[in-house]
């Protein structure tokens, strides 16, 4: 298994896990771009949102609901937070396993990047 995030999900690479269930693993980003920067990955590998199928709707919904739950637990609900997924190299995706970034704890500008 060569996918970095698959190896984190499998417990082969240590990570600061903040949530784990059968469908989603969430862990703190090792190069945070905000005071709170947590990555959420489905336990099943697919490279990006572009590879998702309509049959994955339940998993994708669960993924976003876990983001919501962790944002609440991290105390971000009142001040707000940003949820981002990058699809492909031109969008800045560097690990090709679908993942969602939860960013919070500071002000953000628009447009990003």
């Amino acid at each position: 298994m060569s996918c970095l995030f698959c190896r984190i999900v499998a417990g082969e690479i240590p990570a600061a896990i903040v949530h784990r269930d059968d469908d989603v693993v969430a862990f703190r980003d090792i190069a945070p771009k905000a005071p709170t920067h947590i990555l959420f990955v489905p336990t099943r590998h697919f490279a990006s949102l572009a590879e998702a199928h309509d049959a994955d709707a339940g998993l994708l919904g669960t993924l976003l609901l876990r983001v919501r739950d962790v944002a609440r637990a991290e105390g971000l609900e009142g001040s707000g937070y940003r949820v981002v997924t990058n699809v492909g190299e031109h969008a800045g995706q560097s690990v090709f396993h679908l993942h969602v970034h939860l960013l919070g704890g500071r002000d953000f500008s628009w447009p990003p990047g």
Side-chain angles (χ1 to χ4, degrees):
M1 175 182 330
S2 63
C3 171
L4 174 66
F5 290 167
C6 285
R7 293 182 68 201
I8 289 172
V9 167
E12 296 173 9
I13 295 175
I17 305 290
V18 297
H19 173 85
R20 178 185 291 274
D21 62 35
D22 291 341
D23 298 314
V24 176
V25 174
F27 51 93
R28 298 200 185 275
D29 194 298
I30 62 169
K33 306 300 183 220
T36 300
H37 188 170
I38 299 171
L39 301 177
F40 293 75
V41 301
T43 56
R44 182 169 56 87
H45 178 89
F46 42 102
S48 73
L49 188 59
E51 286 191 3
H53 300 281
D54 289 353
D56 297 317
L59 173 60
L60 296 172
T62 296
L63 185 67
L64 288 177
L65 291 172
R66 296 301 78 81
V67 172
R68 177 207 59 194
D69 295 344
V70 171
R72 285 179 181 163
E74 293 283 317
L76 299 174
E77 197 169 41
S79 60
Y81 53 91
R82 183 169 283 173
V83 179
V84 177
T85 188
N86 300 314
V87 179
E89 287 182 45
H90 290 288
Q93 186 177 5
S94 60
V95 177
F96 290 88
H97 181 126
L98 173 66
H99 57 286
V100 174
H101 299 256
L102 167 64
L103 300 135
R106 69 169 176 85
D107 290 338
F108 295 95
S109 61
W110 193 261

